[in-house]
Amino acid sequence: MYCNDCEQMLSRWENTASSKIFKPATRREPLEGGYGGWLSRFAASLAIRTVHSQLYRKIDRKTGAIDFKKVKQAAEVWRQFLIGETSNPGAHRLYFLYNGYFNHFDADDLPSNWNTYIHRSIERDLMYTESGNFCATFVKLGPLTFFGSIISETKDWKQDSIRCGDWTYSKHNFTPNKMIWQYYILRAKSSQKIMAGISEKQQKIIDAETLRREAEFVRSDLFRSLKDDFDQFPNS
């Protein structure tokens, strides 16, 4: 499934995505000006690389809940779209959520690292149900999240799909469906457990580096996110 042509195109799409969405998103600004075909291609490249990453980790040998034949078929569809053999990804739609301009979420069961996670975390995975009726790639780049639909027997994903040509960004609020919302919470809690497992030695190194760059740190988005968590969860 490796695609030399895809790799040659990536830097152009990544540079465009960085300047047009990632930089304003990390400043928690509304996205303006609409987008072109570069966004769907960038999303397809993320989906393909997520599949490659999971197969490299041999996840297909670790779970029976995912039909990996369909996963590979979806990756091939995205590859064909990426190099221009097809004009759209068909049933394997690509989705995009931006939550960067929200500070506080009024919801139950939010972990105390919620703001730090939702604004800062970077990760990729395959998300799926044990029943096998849903599977998608999941790529979180700080305040931006991209999904690539592999198997979807649900009709919840009616909004947030990326058009393959010129279009405008969605104007609705950040309203992921229930399954996506619960997945965010699950991942945030998992991140919290990982951070809680940092050794005392590692924590001292982090603290020392933070103090060394204190002036820079207090102006950073990380500091802002940590402060949001402290303000929202003062007893945690």
Side-chain angles (χ1 to χ4, degrees):
M1 285 192 298
Y2 183 77
C3 175
N4 286 318
D5 292 335
C6 300
E7 291 294 333
Q8 294 171 5
M9 298 176 184
L10 288 181
S11 61
R12 174 163 51 104
W13 293 323
E14 288 175 346
N15 289 337
T16 304
S18 175
S19 63
K20 290 187 176 295
I21 59 174
F22 187 74
K23 288 181 179 179
T26 54
R27 295 192 296 263
R28 305 192 188 189
E29 299 172 354
L31 301 182
E32 299 176 344
Y35 60 84
W38 56 268
L39 183 58
S40 56
R41 266 76 179 183
F42 176 63
S45 75
L46 294 177
I48 291 172
R49 283 182 282 184
T50 300
V51 170
H52 288 180
S53 172
Q54 296 303 307
L55 292 177
Y56 180 79
R57 291 170 53 200
K58 302 187 185 304
I59 191 175
D60 52 324
R61 301 180 186 178
K62 300 176 183 178
T63 176
I66 304 175
D67 185 342
F68 277 89
K69 181 178 180 180
K70 293 183 178 179
V71 173
K72 294 175 182 178
Q73 287 173 345
E76 175 59 18
V77 168
W78 291 322
R79 186 194 71 82
Q80 292 173 358
F81 169 62
L82 201 59
I83 63 176
E85 291 184 358
T86 59
S87 61
N88 63 75
H92 300 292
R93 290 188 173 187
L94 301 156
Y95 297 83
F96 168 62
L97 285 176
Y98 170 45
N99 50 65
Y101 50 90
F102 290 92
N103 292 331
H104 298 291
F105 292 77
D106 185 13
D108 296 330
D109 200 32
L110 293 179
S112 59
N113 68 328
W114 175 254
N115 293 286
T116 307
Y117 171 80
I118 206 69
H119 291 291
R120 299 284 304 178
S121 177
I122 297 176
E123 55 184 345
R124 63 184 176 188
D125 205 350
L126 285 179
M127 55 182 299
Y128 58 91
T129 57
E130 291 296 332
S131 65
N133 69 345
F134 177 86
C135 181
T137 58
F138 170 84
V139 180
K140 189 172 180 302
L141 302 174
L144 308 171
T145 310
F146 293 85
F147 304 88
S149 177
I150 297 172
I151 303 168
S152 182
E153 298 176 11
T154 174
K155 297 181 180 180
D156 289 342
W157 282 29
K158 292 181 180 179
Q159 57 189 14
D160 308 308
S161 63
I162 302 173
R163 303 299 178 98
C164 298
D166 295 337
W167 201 251
T168 57
Y169 296 107
S170 175
K171 299 299 182 182
H172 63 77
N173 290 334
F174 175 65
T175 53
N177 64 49
K178 183 178 180 180
M179 178 174 60
I180 300 296
W181 179 256
Q182 291 301 318
Y183 191 72
Y184 275 129
I185 293 177
L186 177 67
R187 299 296 297 201
K189 289 181 176 179
S190 177
S191 174
Q192 190 176 45
K193 288 181 181 179
I194 292 173
M195 292 304 296
I198 291 178
S199 68
E200 183 177 348
K201 181 179 180 180
Q202 289 172 314
Q203 188 61 56
K204 286 182 178 179
I205 293 174
I206 294 172
D207 291 344
E209 180 64 14
T210 300
L211 287 173
R212 187 179 72 84
R213 304 173 63 179
E214 182 177 4
E216 179 181 347
F217 175 65
V218 296
R219 294 193 299 270
S220 70
D221 184 64
L222 174 57
F223 178 81
R224 181 177 178 179
S225 297
L226 290 169
K227 185 176 183 301
D228 287 341
D229 280 333
F230 181 80
D231 291 342
Q232 186 170 356
F233 310 102
N235 299 320
S236 298

